[in-house]
PDB file of all heavy atoms in Angstrom:
ATOM      1  N   ARG A 133       3.442  -0.786 -13.383  1.00 98.00           N
ATOM      2  CA  ARG A 133       3.726   0.010 -12.180  1.00 98.00           C
ATOM      3  C   ARG A 133       2.919   1.300 -12.199  1.00 98.00           C
ATOM      4  O   ARG A 133       2.273   1.649 -11.213  1.00 98.00           O
ATOM      5  CB  ARG A 133       5.218   0.324 -12.083  1.00 98.00           C
ATOM      6  CG  ARG A 133       5.545   1.252 -10.914  1.00 98.00           C
ATOM      7  CD  ARG A 133       7.011   1.498 -10.740  1.00 98.00           C
ATOM      8  NE  ARG A 133       7.615   2.130 -11.902  1.00 98.00           N
ATOM      9  CZ  ARG A 133       8.920   2.276 -12.073  1.00 98.00           C
ATOM     10  NH1 ARG A 133       9.771   1.838 -11.172  1.00 98.00           N
ATOM     11  NH2 ARG A 133       9.391   2.866 -13.144  1.00 98.00           N
ATOM     12  N   GLN A 134       2.943   2.001 -13.318  1.00 98.00           N
ATOM     13  CA  GLN A 134       2.205   3.263 -13.420  1.00 98.00           C
ATOM     14  C   GLN A 134       0.711   3.032 -13.201  1.00 98.00           C
ATOM     15  O   GLN A 134       0.057   3.782 -12.474  1.00 98.00           O
ATOM     16  CB  GLN A 134       2.453   3.894 -14.789  1.00 98.00           C
ATOM     17  CG  GLN A 134       1.755   5.207 -14.992  1.00 98.00           C
ATOM     18  CD  GLN A 134       2.051   5.811 -16.370  1.00 98.00           C
ATOM     19  OE1 GLN A 134       2.875   5.319 -17.120  1.00 98.00           O
ATOM     20  NE2 GLN A 134       1.361   6.873 -16.688  1.00 98.00           N
ATOM     21  N   ASN A 135       0.176   1.983 -13.800  1.00 97.00           N
ATOM     22  CA  ASN A 135      -1.257   1.706 -13.684  1.00 97.00           C
ATOM     23  C   ASN A 135      -1.668   1.352 -12.261  1.00 97.00           C
ATOM     24  O   ASN A 135      -2.677   1.857 -11.763  1.00 97.00           O
ATOM     25  CB  ASN A 135      -1.660   0.590 -14.648  1.00 97.00           C
ATOM     26  CG  ASN A 135      -1.593   1.027 -16.091  1.00 97.00           C
ATOM     27  OD1 ASN A 135      -1.667   2.208 -16.407  1.00 97.00           O
ATOM     28  ND2 ASN A 135      -1.436   0.065 -16.984  1.00 97.00           N
ATOM     29  N   ILE A 136      -0.904   0.489 -11.592  1.00 98.00           N
ATOM     30  CA  ILE A 136      -1.290   0.087 -10.238  1.00 98.00           C
ATOM     31  C   ILE A 136      -1.120   1.237  -9.252  1.00 98.00           C
ATOM     32  O   ILE A 136      -1.958   1.425  -8.367  1.00 98.00           O
ATOM     33  CB  ILE A 136      -0.538  -1.179  -9.765  1.00 98.00           C
ATOM     34  CG1 ILE A 136      -1.186  -1.742  -8.492  1.00 98.00           C
ATOM     35  CG2 ILE A 136       0.932  -0.905  -9.511  1.00 98.00           C
ATOM     36  CD1 ILE A 136      -2.574  -2.261  -8.647  1.00 98.00           C
ATOM     37  N   LEU A 137      -0.074   2.027  -9.408  1.00 97.00           N
ATOM     38  CA  LEU A 137       0.114   3.153  -8.490  1.00 97.00           C
ATOM     39  C   LEU A 137      -1.007   4.175  -8.653  1.00 97.00           C
ATOM     40  O   LEU A 137      -1.517   4.714  -7.666  1.00 97.00           O
ATOM     41  CB  LEU A 137       1.485   3.796  -8.698  1.00 97.00           C
ATOM     42  CG  LEU A 137       2.687   2.927  -8.345  1.00 97.00           C
ATOM     43  CD1 LEU A 137       3.988   3.682  -8.601  1.00 97.00           C
ATOM     44  CD2 LEU A 137       2.628   2.407  -6.921  1.00 97.00           C
ATOM     45  N   GLN A 138      -1.420   4.418  -9.885  1.00 97.00           N
ATOM     46  CA  GLN A 138      -2.535   5.343 -10.121  1.00 97.00           C
ATOM     47  C   GLN A 138      -3.829   4.796  -9.537  1.00 97.00           C
ATOM     48  O   GLN A 138      -4.608   5.521  -8.921  1.00 97.00           O
ATOM     49  CB  GLN A 138      -2.699   5.621 -11.621  1.00 97.00           C
ATOM     50  CG  GLN A 138      -3.667   6.746 -11.915  1.00 97.00           C
ATOM     51  CD  GLN A 138      -3.205   8.070 -11.327  1.00 97.00           C
ATOM     52  OE1 GLN A 138      -2.044   8.442 -11.450  1.00 97.00           O
ATOM     53  NE2 GLN A 138      -4.101   8.785 -10.678  1.00 97.00           N
ATOM     54  N   ALA A 139      -4.047   3.493  -9.695  1.00 97.00           N
ATOM     55  CA  ALA A 139      -5.251   2.865  -9.143  1.00 97.00           C
ATOM     56  C   ALA A 139      -5.267   2.960  -7.621  1.00 97.00           C
ATOM     57  O   ALA A 139      -6.304   3.259  -7.021  1.00 97.00           O
ATOM     58  CB  ALA A 139      -5.326   1.406  -9.597  1.00 97.00           C
ATOM     59  N   ILE A 140      -4.112   2.729  -6.993  1.00 97.00           N
ATOM     60  CA  ILE A 140      -4.021   2.831  -5.528  1.00 97.00           C
ATOM     61  C   ILE A 140      -4.314   4.256  -5.074  1.00 97.00           C
ATOM     62  O   ILE A 140      -5.085   4.476  -4.141  1.00 97.00           O
ATOM     63  CB  ILE A 140      -2.630   2.371  -5.038  1.00 97.00           C
ATOM     64  CG1 ILE A 140      -2.483   0.851  -5.207  1.00 97.00           C
ATOM     65  CG2 ILE A 140      -2.398   2.784  -3.584  1.00 97.00           C
ATOM     66  CD1 ILE A 140      -1.073   0.336  -4.999  1.00 97.00           C
ATOM     67  N   ARG A 141      -3.714   5.229  -5.750  1.00 96.00           N
ATOM     68  CA  ARG A 141      -3.939   6.640  -5.366  1.00 96.00           C
ATOM     69  C   ARG A 141      -5.391   7.061  -5.567  1.00 96.00           C
ATOM     70  O   ARG A 141      -5.912   7.878  -4.805  1.00 96.00           O
ATOM     71  CB  ARG A 141      -3.019   7.541  -6.179  1.00 96.00           C
ATOM     72  CG  ARG A 141      -1.577   7.449  -5.766  1.00 96.00           C
ATOM     73  CD  ARG A 141      -0.711   8.410  -6.580  1.00 96.00           C
ATOM     74  NE  ARG A 141       0.694   8.161  -6.353  1.00 96.00           N
ATOM     75  CZ  ARG A 141       1.533   7.701  -7.269  1.00 96.00           C
ATOM     76  NH1 ARG A 141       1.125   7.472  -8.495  1.00 96.00           N
ATOM     77  NH2 ARG A 141       2.795   7.472  -6.963  1.00 96.00           N
ATOM     78  N   ASN A 142      -6.036   6.518  -6.593  1.00 96.00           N
ATOM     79  CA  ASN A 142      -7.439   6.857  -6.848  1.00 96.00           C
ATOM     80  C   ASN A 142      -8.380   6.216  -5.832  1.00 96.00           C
ATOM     81  O   ASN A 142      -9.429   6.768  -5.535  1.00 96.00           O
ATOM     82  CB  ASN A 142      -7.846   6.425  -8.250  1.00 96.00           C
ATOM     83  CG  ASN A 142      -7.247   7.307  -9.323  1.00 96.00           C
ATOM     84  OD1 ASN A 142      -6.829   8.437  -9.076  1.00 96.00           O
ATOM     85  ND2 ASN A 142      -7.176   6.786 -10.536  1.00 96.00           N
ATOM     86  N   ARG A 143      -8.006   5.062  -5.303  1.00 96.00           N
ATOM     87  CA  ARG A 143      -8.894   4.304  -4.423  1.00 96.00           C
ATOM     88  C   ARG A 143      -8.677   4.607  -2.939  1.00 96.00           C
ATOM     89  O   ARG A 143      -9.615   4.612  -2.155  1.00 96.00           O
ATOM     90  CB  ARG A 143      -8.688   2.811  -4.692  1.00 96.00           C
ATOM     91  CG  ARG A 143      -9.385   1.866  -3.751  1.00 96.00           C
ATOM     92  CD  ARG A 143     -10.903   1.928  -3.938  1.00 96.00           C
ATOM     93  NE  ARG A 143     -11.579   0.972  -3.096  1.00 96.00           N
ATOM     94  CZ  ARG A 143     -11.997   1.215  -1.853  1.00 96.00           C
ATOM     95  NH1 ARG A 143     -11.804   2.394  -1.299  1.00 96.00           N
ATOM     96  NH2 ARG A 143     -12.617   0.293  -1.152  1.00 96.00           N
ATOM     97  N   PHE A 144      -7.417   4.854  -2.551  1.00 93.00           N
ATOM     98  CA  PHE A 144      -7.079   5.009  -1.142  1.00 93.00           C
ATOM     99  C   PHE A 144      -6.384   6.332  -0.871  1.00 93.00           C
ATOM    100  O   PHE A 144      -5.744   6.893  -1.748  1.00 93.00           O
ATOM    101  CB  PHE A 144      -6.133   3.876  -0.691  1.00 93.00           C
ATOM    102  CG  PHE A 144      -6.692   2.501  -0.862  1.00 93.00           C
ATOM    103  CD1 PHE A 144      -6.251   1.683  -1.886  1.00 93.00           C
ATOM    104  CD2 PHE A 144      -7.653   2.011   0.011  1.00 93.00           C
ATOM    105  CE1 PHE A 144      -6.757   0.402  -2.053  1.00 93.00           C
ATOM    106  CE2 PHE A 144      -8.166   0.737  -0.153  1.00 93.00           C
ATOM    107  CZ  PHE A 144      -7.719  -0.069  -1.184  1.00 93.00           C
ATOM    108  N   GLU A 145      -6.489   6.764   0.383  1.00 89.00           N
ATOM    109  CA  GLU A 145      -5.735   7.933   0.828  1.00 89.00           C
ATOM    110  C   GLU A 145      -4.366   7.433   1.288  1.00 89.00           C
ATOM    111  O   GLU A 145      -4.259   6.729   2.286  1.00 89.00           O
ATOM    112  CB  GLU A 145      -6.470   8.612   1.980  1.00 89.00           C
ATOM    113  CG  GLU A 145      -5.812   9.876   2.441  1.00 89.00           C
ATOM    114  CD  GLU A 145      -6.561  10.532   3.573  1.00 89.00           C
ATOM    115  OE1 GLU A 145      -7.742  10.229   3.787  1.00 89.00           O
ATOM    116  OE2 GLU A 145      -5.937  11.360   4.260  1.00 89.00           O
ATOM    117  N   VAL A 146      -3.342   7.746   0.494  1.00 92.00           N
ATOM    118  CA  VAL A 146      -1.981   7.291   0.798  1.00 92.00           C
ATOM    119  C   VAL A 146      -1.015   8.439   0.586  1.00 92.00           C
ATOM    120  O   VAL A 146      -1.337   9.434  -0.051  1.00 92.00           O
ATOM    121  CB  VAL A 146      -1.564   6.095  -0.093  1.00 92.00           C
ATOM    122  CG1 VAL A 146      -2.449   4.892   0.166  1.00 92.00           C
ATOM    123  CG2 VAL A 146      -1.566   6.467  -1.556  1.00 92.00           C
ATOM    124  N   GLY A 147       0.180   8.272   1.114  1.00 91.00           N
ATOM    125  CA  GLY A 147       1.249   9.232   0.880  1.00 91.00           C
ATOM    126  C   GLY A 147       1.977   8.856  -0.398  1.00 91.00           C
ATOM    127  O   GLY A 147       1.391   8.755  -1.460  1.00 91.00           O
ATOM    128  N   HIS A 148       3.245   8.545  -0.271  1.00 94.00           N
ATOM    129  CA  HIS A 148       4.074   8.171  -1.408  1.00 94.00           C
ATOM    130  C   HIS A 148       3.938   6.676  -1.689  1.00 94.00           C
ATOM    131  O   HIS A 148       3.902   5.867  -0.768  1.00 94.00           O
ATOM    132  CB  HIS A 148       5.535   8.513  -1.100  1.00 94.00           C
ATOM    133  CG  HIS A 148       6.479   8.149  -2.183  1.00 94.00           C
ATOM    134  ND1 HIS A 148       6.567   8.861  -3.352  1.00 94.00           N
ATOM    135  CD2 HIS A 148       7.358   7.131  -2.285  1.00 94.00           C
ATOM    136  CE1 HIS A 148       7.475   8.297  -4.123  1.00 94.00           C
ATOM    137  NE2 HIS A 148       7.977   7.237  -3.493  1.00 94.00           N
ATOM    138  N   CYS A 149       3.838   6.304  -2.964  1.00 95.00           N
ATOM    139  CA  CYS A 149       3.802   4.891  -3.379  1.00 95.00           C
ATOM    140  C   CYS A 149       4.912   4.670  -4.399  1.00 95.00           C
ATOM    141  O   CYS A 149       5.146   5.526  -5.253  1.00 95.00           O
ATOM    142  CB  CYS A 149       2.528   4.495  -4.084  1.00 95.00           C
ATOM    143  SG  CYS A 149       1.012   5.152  -3.521  1.00 95.00           S
ATOM    144  N   HIS A 150       5.525   3.499  -4.315  1.00 96.00           N
ATOM    145  CA  HIS A 150       6.585   3.171  -5.267  1.00 96.00           C
ATOM    146  C   HIS A 150       6.708   1.656  -5.407  1.00 96.00           C
ATOM    147  O   HIS A 150       6.496   0.928  -4.446  1.00 96.00           O
ATOM    148  CB  HIS A 150       7.929   3.735  -4.784  1.00 96.00           C
ATOM    149  CG  HIS A 150       9.066   3.426  -5.704  1.00 96.00           C
ATOM    150  ND1 HIS A 150       9.215   4.033  -6.920  1.00 96.00           N
ATOM    151  CD2 HIS A 150      10.086   2.543  -5.593  1.00 96.00           C
ATOM    152  CE1 HIS A 150      10.293   3.552  -7.518  1.00 96.00           C
ATOM    153  NE2 HIS A 150      10.835   2.641  -6.725  1.00 96.00           N
TER     154      HIS A 150
END
Side-chain angles (χ1 to χ4, degrees):
R133 175 176 61 190
Q134 181 179 353
N135 291 337
I136 193 65
L137 294 180
Q138 190 62 46
I140 290 169
R141 288 182 190 113
N142 287 340
R143 172 68 177 90
F144 301 105
E145 184 180 342
V146 297
H148 179 74
C149 321
H150 179 72

